[in-house]
Amino acid sequence: MNTDCLTIKNQDMKNQYKALKYRSLVLLAAFFLIASVIAVIALCVGASSISVTDSILALIEDNGMARSIVWNLRLPRVIMALLIGIGLGTSGAVFQAVLRNPLASPFTLGIGSSAGFGAVIAIVFFNGLVNEYAVVIWAFIFTLLSSFLILGVSRYKGATAETMILTGIALMFLFSSLSSFLQYLGTKEEVHGIVFWFFGSLSKAGYREIVMSGIMILAPMPFVFRFAFDFNLMTAGDESAGALGVNVSGVRMLSIALASLMTSGAICFTGVIGFIGLVAPHIARMIFGSDNLFLIPASALIGGVLVLSADTLGRTVWLPHVIPIGIVTSFIGVPFFLYLLIKKTKEYW
Amino acid sequence: MLQVGNLSFNYGKTCVLKDINLNVKKGEIISVLGPNGVGKTTLLKCLLGMIKPCSGFIEMDEMDILKMSSTHRARLIGYVPQAFPSKFPMTVFDAVLMGRKPYVRFVPSENDLEVVSQVLMSMNLNHLGLKDFDRISGGQKQKVLIARAIAQEPNYLVLDEPSSNLDVRHQLEVMDMLRKLAQKENIGIIMAMHSLNLASRFSDRIAMLKSGCMVCNGTPLEVMTPKIIETVYKIEANIHRINGYPYTIPLNPMPENRTNKELLN
Ligand SMILES: Nc1ncnc2c1ncn2[C@@H]1O[C@H](COP(=O)(O)OP(=O)(O)OP(=O)(O)O)[C@@H](O)[C@H]1O
Ligand SMILES: [Mg+2]
């Protein structure tokens, strides 16, 4: 064979691959644009009848009442929704990659139920209905506790995906039943508050909350990206990843710790907004494939879009009521997800 | 040179490998033969530093493999596993790109992509490049795994039954390719095999394992004798020499009650 012809074909293969990745990059940009557009829409709609032009004007100049509503009510809510979506989407993608399991999500590992149990403790014993920060702090303590338990068992038993998932599921049952037990002891108002917390709500999102959960969600990001290529190798099995020089159990433990931190940043302030952590990575995978270099940012963006859309719908479709975000995400997310699942042309797991 | 000295390995209390001595020179192909469950895969895993032997040493180019960093080790020794579980779909190109891990700092570079496409080219895999790894045939998967190990640009290559999923033609093709690779790139290759004839045809030396011990280690002509094959595999076999290579024709399984001592006498 002619060598010239060989090099041309060779170039071809590489360029085709690069074209594929370039397409992913363009799609990422498109999703970024979509997220921005939805964010602007979310700023313009709401319970108070401020016109769209007034809402946009409010962002740049002082037009009284409108300005205060947009800056103090809607903007923090929009930012918080995006943050939460980013946190849940990213941590879901990380859990699925390092646990090599398409069913993994922040909630499979019991992080949701342990946060819930923390919130229940705060509400029943520490006057959490009045003192919101008690709820946040206790929820946070318990997410840390559950991830330490998982990491501890993994250190002792070997950090395999199976060990972690089984420990997580056991913790999930433990904390759920503990929560139920405390609810049984609680007063009517307390039970109401607990149920409300489990639905999730963005109504109390303020700038202080944004800063705190922003740190928890965004600070681990660079580290997670740093491991993206290692995650690709780990989906092909621990042994072969190890043989290629990946410190498998180290990467897995650190990633679980980071993703747990992101999850708790996303749920401690607002309650359990389930499902997004499971669905966002799968939607991202259907569009972007399984290369974690793209899958992780895509899951973040898609998570952000989903939470923001759900919250915006929740506070506008049934005025003057606000539908809790956890309910909207499930109402809209589940049928949408099933639709994608049935429509998908390729096997994804 | 890859040197294994007095290597023993236990899984819990059961002794799997006993006192193994083996050298793999660069440019040489060594096949490890032996019945199922004899410890071939275990031996290879020890070489890769995946499991720690309970005694003995393994040195690669005069360095203890257990004292190397895993990245350093991955640059020196490539691995083609028996199977490759994958839960999430990825392209063949991405699968081969994994082999560049020991050289990738953060994301794969232009050069990494170049190496991968060259390897795919040289193995006639470029038409599969962008296909899903899960959607190619078992034999094609095996070739892709070999491609991944070659993309590692290692000095030594460890293969676990590289021909088990290949048809006759592809067996010859892949073995021939490994042979050329060993000579051209001066790579030392050690592989676990089940096909006696492929091993005889393409190996420089053959090591026979039997219940965790090395029974013999020599050129195919030295090792492939009816007696040794009887001892190791408990079968009656004829050996024919064609083009200077010993070919084994298995005839009958031996009755179970004959003891090893009888056989060796
Ligand atoms: N993880 C393990 N734990 C305990 N024992 C094991 C483990 N892996 C293998 N063994 C045992 O060690 C022995 C050697 O196994 P090994 O996989 O090395 O055999 P093999 O020669 O590669 O066999 P095959 O030809 O079937 O691949 C077997 O008896 C097996 O049962
Ligand atoms: Mg084996």
Side-chain angles (χ1 to χ4, degrees):
Chain A
M1 226 191 281
N2 180 323
T3 45
D4 274 357
C5 159
L6 270 179
T7 41
I8 289 167
K9 270 201 194 153
N10 191 3
Q11 279 300 319
D12 216 42
M13 177 76 259
K14 195 175 79 180
N15 289 338
Q16 274 179 37
Y17 179 78
K18 279 165 82 174
L20 197 72
K21 299 295 155 178
Y22 187 69
R23 174 185 155 269
S24 301
L25 215 55
V26 172
L27 278 172
L28 272 184
F31 270 101
F32 187 77
L33 213 66
I34 293 174
S36 319
V37 170
I38 295 180
V40 173
I41 294 173
L43 285 178
C44 298
V45 297
S48 61
S49 48
I50 307 171
S51 73
V52 171
T53 34
D54 277 351
S55 307
I56 294 177
L57 278 178
L59 280 176
I60 31 185
E61 62 183 55
D62 194 346
N63 52 359
M65 181 65 180
R67 184 176 173 84
S68 147
I69 287 179
V70 170
W71 275 92
N72 296 334
L73 291 176
R74 291 184 190 165
L75 189 61
R77 197 165 172 138
V78 166
I79 296 177
M80 196 65 176
L82 284 171
L83 269 179
I84 289 170
I86 290 171
L88 291 176
T90 312
S91 59
V94 172
F95 285 128
Q96 288 178 10
V98 299
L99 298 177
R100 223 181 303 120
N101 190 319
L103 298 177
S105 80
F107 301 92
T108 328
L109 284 182
I111 295 170
S113 3
S114 57
F117 180 59
V120 171
I121 288 191
I123 290 171
V124 175
F125 297 121
F126 295 93
N127 204 10
L129 289 181
V130 184
N131 180 2
E132 291 155 31
Y133 277 98
V135 176
V136 173
I137 290 166
W138 280 94
F140 182 66
I141 290 174
F142 271 87
T143 54
L144 287 191
L145 181 71
S146 71
S147 40
F148 278 133
L149 281 173
I150 291 168
L151 295 175
V153 172
S154 309
R155 268 200 85 90
Y156 185 70
K157 255 317 269 183
T160 65
E162 291 76 13
T163 312
M164 288 187 166
I165 290 176
L166 289 175
T167 313
I169 287 178
L171 290 180
M172 187 177 82
F173 279 110
L174 174 69
F175 287 122
S176 308
S177 50
L178 286 175
S179 297
S180 307
F181 179 63
L182 287 191
Q183 287 190 49
Y184 178 72
L185 298 180
T187 66
K188 209 168 173 185
E189 290 74 42
E190 284 165 357
V191 172
H192 186 86
I194 290 167
V195 170
F196 191 76
W197 195 84
F198 272 96
F199 282 154
S201 162
L202 289 174
S203 58
K204 285 169 195 142
Y207 287 107
R208 205 168 349 158
E209 286 82 0
I210 286 176
V211 170
M212 286 189 278
S213 76
I215 291 173
M216 284 197 262
I217 289 168
L218 299 180
M221 250 345 156
F223 299 96
V224 168
F225 279 124
R226 165 75 185 75
F227 291 135
F229 192 61
D230 291 353
F231 294 162
N232 284 356
L233 276 90
M234 283 165 68
T235 56
D238 287 2
E239 249 176 23
S240 78
L244 284 162
V246 179
N247 172 2
V248 176
S249 53
V251 169
R252 181 171 287 134
M253 306 254 275
L254 188 53
S255 317
I256 295 286
L258 291 172
S260 305
L261 185 63
M262 292 177 120
T263 308
S264 69
I267 61 180
C268 285
F269 295 95
T270 54
V272 182
I273 302 169
F275 199 59
I276 299 291
L278 178 70
V279 178
H282 281 300
I283 295 176
R285 193 171 285 113
M286 289 175 196
I287 301 168
F288 290 84
S290 296
D291 183 352
N292 285 287
L293 290 169
F294 291 94
L295 184 62
I296 291 174
S299 305
L301 281 175
I302 290 174
V305 167
L306 288 177
V307 174
L308 181 58
S309 318
D311 182 54
T312 309
L313 283 175
R315 67 185 167 87
T316 50
V317 288
W318 192 30
L319 289 171
H321 300 275
V322 173
I323 312 171
I325 180 160
I327 292 183
V328 183
T329 49
S330 308
F331 264 25
I332 303 190
V334 173
F336 177 60
F337 184 59
L338 289 178
Y339 166 78
L340 286 178
L341 199 61
I342 292 163
K343 275 278 287 186
K344 75 186 164 106
T345 48
K346 290 200 212 159
E347 282 302 318
Y348 282 91
W349 45 85
Chain B
M1 196 159 66
L2 182 62
Q3 285 177 296
V4 178
N6 302 329
L7 177 100
S8 298
F9 182 84
N10 304 341
Y11 272 123
K13 277 183 187 152
T14 46
C15 175
V16 178
L17 295 172
K18 273 191 291 269
D19 217 17
I20 306 281
N21 289 289
L22 188 70
N23 290 339
V24 186
K25 294 196 195 75
K26 283 186 188 160
E28 192 180 49
I29 298 188
I30 309 260
S31 292
V32 181
L33 299 186
N36 287 131
V38 77
K40 301 182 293 296
T41 301
T42 309
L43 174 61
L44 300 187
K45 283 185 180 167
C46 287
L47 294 182
L48 290 157
M50 286 177 184
I51 49 180
K52 286 196 177 72
C54 48
S55 65
F57 64 90
I58 303 167
E59 287 181 353
M60 208 173 350
D61 303 332
E62 263 102 64
M63 277 175 295
D64 188 336
I65 61 141
L66 292 175
K67 294 205 178 105
M68 291 178 189
S69 76
S70 54
T71 302
H72 185 191
R73 193 160 56 216
R75 285 184 187 177
L76 294 180
I77 188 160
Y79 173 50
V80 180
Q82 232 169 342
F84 180 89
S86 89
K87 271 279 162 55
F88 300 110
M90 77 185 90
T91 65
V92 164
F93 198 104
D94 279 312
V96 177
L97 190 59
M98 290 180 182
R100 299 301 297 167
K101 165 65 194 168
Y103 307 93
V104 169
R105 288 208 55 203
F106 179 54
V107 291
S109 69
E110 186 71 26
N111 178 48
D112 294 320
L113 302 184
E114 184 65 39
V115 171
V116 169
S117 50
Q118 254 161 31
V119 173
L120 286 173
M121 192 72 207
S122 71
M123 292 195 63
N124 284 324
L125 286 170
N126 46 336
H127 60 291
L128 296 178
L130 298 184
K131 275 203 165 180
D132 256 355
F133 182 83
D134 292 330
R135 302 196 149 194
I136 59 177
S137 80
Q140 289 169 332
K141 280 185 189 169
Q142 208 146 30
K143 282 181 88 172
V144 171
L145 291 184
I146 296 174
R148 188 180 72 167
I150 295 174
Q152 245 173 294
E153 300 182 322
N155 292 350
Y156 300 94
L157 207 51
V158 170
L159 301 99
D160 203 346
E161 295 176 28
S163 62
S164 55
N165 282 320
L166 302 175
D167 70 35
V168 217
R169 188 196 152 81
H170 285 96
Q171 285 181 355
L172 291 175
E173 234 179 65
V174 165
M175 287 298 148
D176 199 49
M177 197 204 69
L178 289 175
R179 159 111 270 165
K180 287 191 181 126
L181 189 76
Q183 279 160 0
K184 226 170 61 193
E185 312 283 335
N186 201 28
I187 295 178
I189 295 182
I190 176 164
M191 52 192 185
M193 292 284 279
H194 277 306
S195 161
L196 302 182
N197 292 337
L198 276 180
S200 312
R201 167 92 158 71
F202 290 98
S203 324
D204 296 295
R205 277 186 300 124
I206 292 178
M208 282 275 191
L209 293 184
K210 182 178 186 273
S211 29
C213 298
M214 184 113 76
V215 174
C216 55
N217 174 3
T219 64
L221 279 174
E222 289 165 1
V223 170
M224 291 301 182
T225 64
K227 203 164 202 172
I228 291 176
I229 291 186
E230 249 177 58
T231 331
V232 173
Y233 286 98
K234 299 205 171 63
I235 59 164
E236 198 180 314
N238 275 352
I239 310 288
H240 290 269
R241 201 188 282 200
I242 304 172
N243 295 339
Y245 299 110
Y247 285 90
T248 308
I249 300 177
L251 297 174
N252 295 306
M254 306 282 294
E256 288 285 343
N257 52 12
R258 287 180 64 180
T259 61
N260 295 330
K261 239 184 197 158
E262 262 177 85
L263 279 170
L264 284 170
N265 288 333

